[in-house]
Amino acid sequence: QQHHGIVLGADTTVAIDGLVLNKPKDAADAERMLLRLSNATHTVYTGVSVIDIETKDQRSFIESTDVTFRKLGLDEVRAYIATGAPMDKAGAYGIQEDFGAVFVRRIDGDYYNVVGLPLCRLYVTLKEFAPDLWE
């Protein structure tokens, strides 16, 4: 039986009140983003696409998750930025990290979407898209 490949691509961004927060440009940008997210609810969006490299068939979807931050103190925001961790993350935080995790008061949706890959929806999509993967 011949097997073929599937390419998976995904990217995540954060939006609040119509403003998109990608990766911060510098520490000041990260501070601005985190203070904007403080004591507010934002939405994390991940776009996912899978492509069959043999047939060129593809499936794409966007998953969204609402995340509410507690009120953040300027000192803890600056301490988090000093670690360098927020610099490569949309919205300047990673929920899977020590600081990022304690910023979050509530999640409405898929936790793994906030991490960067909505595993449940991806699994369901792949089962429909490429059922031979599960044989």
Side-chain angles (χ1 to χ4, degrees), residues 33-104:
M33 287 183 192
L34 290 166
L35 292 176
R36 179 65 187 88
L37 298 175
S38 176
N39 205 34
T41 299
H42 61 277
T43 304
V44 177
Y45 296 97
T46 302
V48 179
S49 188
V50 291
I51 302 170
D52 183 311
I53 61 174
E54 184 178 307
T55 67
K56 308 300 187 233
D57 189 20
Q58 71 176 45
R59 298 285 186 284
S60 298
F61 64 86
I62 298 171
E63 185 72 17
S64 64
T65 303
D66 289 333
V67 179
T68 304
F69 271 21
R70 65 176 171 77
K71 184 159 181 54
L72 306 180
L74 184 57
D75 56 339
E76 63 188 338
V77 166
R78 288 182 174 164
Y80 180 46
I81 293 167
T83 69
M87 301 313 295
D88 66 341
K89 293 170 184 66
Y93 79 96
I95 196 170
Q96 68 276 18
E97 299 170 339
D98 294 343
F99 272 108
V102 299
F103 291 167
V104 175

Side-chain angles (χ1 to χ4, degrees), residues 11 14 23-24 33 41 46 61 73-74 82 90 94 98 106 117 122 127 132:
D11 200 13
V14 169
K23 295 176 183 176
M33 287 183 192
T41 299
T46 302
F61 64 86
L74 184 57
D98 294 343
R106 177 181 168 85
L117 191 63
L122 175 61
K127 281 188 64 135
D132 57 315

Side-chain angles (χ1 to χ4, degrees), residues 94-131:
I95 196 170
Q96 68 276 18
E97 299 170 339
D98 294 343
F99 272 108
V102 299
F103 291 167
V104 175
R105 187 176 64 209
R106 177 181 168 85
I107 298 173
D108 184 18
D110 184 348
Y111 167 84
Y112 292 103
N113 184 53
V114 183
V115 174
L117 191 63
L119 295 177
C120 180
R121 185 143 177 215
L122 175 61
Y123 173 78
V124 170
T125 299
L126 285 174
K127 281 188 64 135
E128 295 169 358
F129 179 70

Side-chain angles (χ1 to χ4, degrees), residues 8-21:
L8 166 74
D11 200 13
T12 302
T13 196
V14 169
I16 184 165
D17 298 330
L19 177 66
V20 175
L21 304 179

